[in-house]
Amino acid sequence: MIELVLGGARSGKSRHAESVIRSCPGPWTYIATGRAWDEEMAERIALHRADRGDGWVTVEEPVDLPGALEKAEGQPVLVDCLTLWLTNLLLENHDIATATDALMQIMERRMAPLVLVGNEVGLGIVPENALARRFRDEAGRLHQRVAAKADRVVLCVAGIPMTIRRDA
Amino acid sequence: MIELVLGGARSGKSRHAESVIRSCPGPWTYIATGRAWDEEMAERIALHRADRGDGWVTVEEPVDLPGALEKAEGQPVLVDCLTLWLTNLLLENHDIATATDALMQIMERRMAPLVLVGNEVGLGIVPENALARRFRDEAGRLHQRVAAKADRVVLCVAGIPMTIRRDA
Amino acid sequence: MIELVLGGARSGKSRHAESVIRSCPGPWTYIATGRAWDEEMAERIALHRADRGDGWVTVEEPVDLPGALEKAEGQPVLVDCLTLWLTNLLLENHDIATATDALMQIMERRMAPLVLVGNEVGLGIVPENALARRFRDEAGRLHQRVAAKADRVVLCVAGIPMTIRRDA
């Protein structure tokens, strides 16, 4: 079972994703892709960790997400989130297509439950900043590819998970 | 019956919210939370009022929304909108958590129909402006709390109200 | 059959719209409304054309969309996209209400399949730029009017077309 959980800022994405993984027998692995670039980011990461509670093995992996998933094979895994992973790939000049291909291969082989969280960022006005435009395009492409390999895709709005695709 | 109506700019939120309240026996109370900071805002408020038509008692209350709701107990009320209320709380340095707690208490006791409108602002690229980022987070938190107390939550897109949660 | 396909950046709107038109007997007309203002835009247009493949008659019409639709009467038509058309109207100071009225009249008379693509841009934070705010409002109004005349309205998220209204 692979689920992609999309949503806007503070839409309840992580909480929903955690509840999906918690419904599986543990131990649960949490792959945190965020880098604490600045204080605001460090605070967000700490807040998320406190919200999460006990019972999680946390793995911090800002770049090699496919590798981290391979190591956690056989365990329920929550990836939080694709957006920060993509940010790191972009800012550190990794090849995004290659990294996404590797993620696709892992997803194809994956048997244990996997939930991936992503920020939907493409529904506002076109950003004036060229890097933000590129990021928005890359995020859209990544979400499309991950969605195509997921058994269920959910969009969270105001804390409510709307199922937008579920395979029988 | 409490309904939360979310949506983007010019998505038909207010029109839908008005039609829900108009289906209840009047008189109807309209709580306008907007402050006419500048000409553009004054114009938007006047336009909304003209669109609304007759039969409404308008109450202007930019900050004490819980108090205004208490005074209108027993009447169908439309709150337009949570987003401007939150803007006023933020810009005038009120404690948002305390104000939201007071709103939650009123919602719990509320018997007469209540429809609250909010702008969904969290689905674009992360804003560069720190105040905008904080606003976006606070709006997400507020919508989650209001949604949890509502009987029905609707997301308007292109004038179409999509029901995203409805309690039996 | 008239369908409005909305969605964010790289959400799979064009691909979905093309598949709807391809399911009709050809030849198919593609009305491209984009102007290649700069290299980035020229690249996007070329990419879309390459993705589209064979079997399409491409008409480039950045401003007179109603006229182009009239000429293509009787053939399945894909309009890609309303957002670029609106951008051109706005930047070249055309009267948007008049142009939209003309589009509505064509849609009312239209018998052959028509699919119109539009970018949903109203779900982010209010832009600081006044032109962007006006554009966002105009786009919302245009989508509401087109949606009201469509038989089906779809919102694409991560490549998944969510039907948000379908007439029997």
Side-chain angles (χ1 to χ4, degrees):
Chain A
M1 195 282 305
I2 298 184
E3 179 167 329
L4 171 62
V5 181
L6 295 173
R10 294 276 145 197
S11 62
K13 300 181 298 294
S14 296
R15 206 185 45 216
H16 169 70
E18 283 161 33
S19 76
V20 174
I21 290 293
R22 277 178 179 282
S23 70
C24 306
W28 314 305
T29 297
Y30 181 96
I31 302 181
T33 57
R35 263 207 216 289
W37 294 100
D38 56 23
E39 251 179 73
E40 188 181 324
M41 192 63 213
E43 229 172 81
R44 277 181 191 246
I45 292 173
L47 208 73
H48 264 280
R49 190 185 276 235
D51 278 359
R52 203 150 62 234
D54 295 332
W56 294 86
V57 177
T58 299
V59 174
E60 306 208 7
E61 182 45 71
V63 171
D64 186 17
L65 174 58
L69 279 169
E70 197 140 46
K71 277 182 210 144
E73 216 176 74
Q75 298 155 39
V77 171
L78 170 49
V79 174
D80 200 354
C81 62
L82 291 173
T83 312
L84 293 171
W85 178 55
L86 183 63
T87 304
N88 298 335
L89 292 178
L90 201 66
L91 294 181
E92 297 170 25
N93 291 310
H94 293 274
D95 188 84
I96 292 170
T98 307
T100 309
D101 287 347
L103 178 62
M104 293 302 109
Q105 285 169 21
I106 294 285
M107 287 178 74
E108 267 165 34
R109 292 200 299 266
R110 179 93 194 167
M111 302 296 289
L114 169 62
V115 179
L116 305 110
V117 173
N119 279 51
E120 177 52 61
V121 297
L123 290 160
I125 215 81
V126 179
E128 293 182 31
N129 176 322
L131 184 63
R133 279 202 302 280
R134 183 168 166 220
F135 177 74
R136 197 170 90 118
D137 280 354
E138 294 287 4
R141 279 192 202 100
L142 175 61
H143 293 163
Q144 284 196 44
R145 292 189 68 185
V146 173
K149 290 253 180 294
D151 304 294
R152 192 183 178 201
V153 181
V154 159
L155 177 68
C156 288
V157 174
I160 301 162
M162 304 161 63
T163 299
I164 62 175
R165 214 198 63 224
R166 167 185 270 146
D167 294 347
Chain B
M1 195 281 307
I2 298 183
E3 179 167 328
L4 172 62
V5 181
L6 295 173
R10 295 276 145 196
S11 62
K13 299 180 300 293
S14 296
R15 204 184 48 216
H16 168 72
E18 284 162 33
S19 77
V20 173
I21 290 293
R22 277 178 179 282
S23 71
C24 307
W28 314 306
T29 297
Y30 182 96
I31 302 182
T33 57
R35 264 204 216 290
W37 295 100
D38 56 22
E39 252 179 73
E40 188 181 325
M41 192 63 214
E43 227 172 85
R44 276 180 190 247
I45 291 174
L47 207 73
H48 264 278
R49 192 185 275 234
D51 278 359
R52 205 150 60 235
D54 295 332
W56 294 86
V57 177
T58 299
V59 174
E60 304 208 9
E61 181 46 70
V63 170
D64 186 17
L65 174 58
L69 278 169
E70 197 141 44
K71 278 182 210 144
E73 217 178 73
Q75 297 155 39
V77 172
L78 169 50
V79 175
D80 199 354
C81 64
L82 291 173
T83 313
L84 293 172
W85 177 56
L86 183 64
T87 304
N88 298 335
L89 292 177
L90 201 66
L91 294 182
E92 298 170 25
N93 290 309
H94 294 274
D95 188 87
I96 292 170
T98 307
T100 309
D101 287 347
L103 178 62
M104 293 302 109
Q105 285 169 21
I106 294 285
M107 287 178 73
E108 268 165 32
R109 291 199 301 265
R110 178 92 193 167
M111 302 296 289
L114 171 62
V115 178
L116 305 109
V117 173
N119 279 52
E120 178 52 61
V121 296
L123 291 160
I125 215 83
V126 179
E128 292 182 32
N129 177 322
L131 184 63
R133 280 202 300 281
R134 186 169 162 220
F135 177 75
R136 195 169 94 117
D137 279 354
E138 293 289 3
R141 279 192 201 100
L142 175 61
H143 293 163
Q144 284 197 45
R145 291 190 68 186
V146 173
K149 291 255 180 291
D151 304 296
R152 192 182 178 201
V153 182
V154 158
L155 177 68
C156 289
V157 174
I160 302 162
M162 304 161 64
T163 299
I164 61 175
R165 214 198 62 225
R166 169 185 266 146
D167 293 347
Chain C
M1 193 281 307
I2 298 184
E3 179 167 330
L4 171 62
V5 181
L6 296 172
R10 295 274 145 199
S11 61
K13 299 181 298 295
S14 297
R15 205 185 45 216
H16 169 70
E18 284 162 31
S19 77
V20 173
I21 291 293
R22 277 178 179 282
S23 70
C24 306
W28 315 305
T29 297
Y30 182 96
I31 303 182
T33 58
R35 264 206 215 289
W37 295 99
D38 56 22
E39 251 180 74
E40 189 181 324
M41 192 63 213
E43 227 171 84
R44 276 180 191 248
I45 292 174
L47 208 71
H48 264 280
R49 191 184 277 235
D51 278 359
R52 204 150 60 236
D54 294 332
W56 294 86
V57 178
T58 300
V59 175
E60 305 208 8
E61 181 45 71
V63 170
D64 186 17
L65 174 59
L69 278 169
E70 199 141 43
K71 277 182 212 146
E73 218 177 72
Q75 297 156 37
V77 172
L78 169 50
V79 175
D80 200 354
C81 65
L82 291 173
T83 312
L84 293 171
W85 178 56
L86 183 64
T87 304
N88 297 335
L89 292 177
L90 201 67
L91 294 181
E92 297 169 26
N93 291 310
H94 293 275
D95 188 85
I96 292 170
T98 306
T100 310
D101 287 346
L103 178 63
M104 293 303 109
Q105 285 169 22
I106 295 284
M107 287 178 72
E108 268 164 33
R109 291 200 299 265
R110 177 96 194 163
M111 303 295 290
L114 170 62
V115 178
L116 305 109
V117 173
N119 279 53
E120 177 53 59
V121 296
L123 291 160
I125 215 82
V126 178
E128 292 183 31
N129 177 323
L131 184 63
R133 280 201 302 280
R134 183 165 166 224
F135 177 75
R136 196 169 91 118
D137 280 354
E138 294 289 2
R141 280 193 201 99
L142 175 61
H143 293 163
Q144 284 197 44
R145 292 190 67 186
V146 173
K149 291 256 180 291
D151 304 296
R152 192 182 178 201
V153 182
V154 159
L155 177 68
C156 289
V157 174
I160 302 161
M162 303 162 63
T163 300
I164 61 176
R165 214 198 64 225
R166 168 185 269 145
D167 293 347

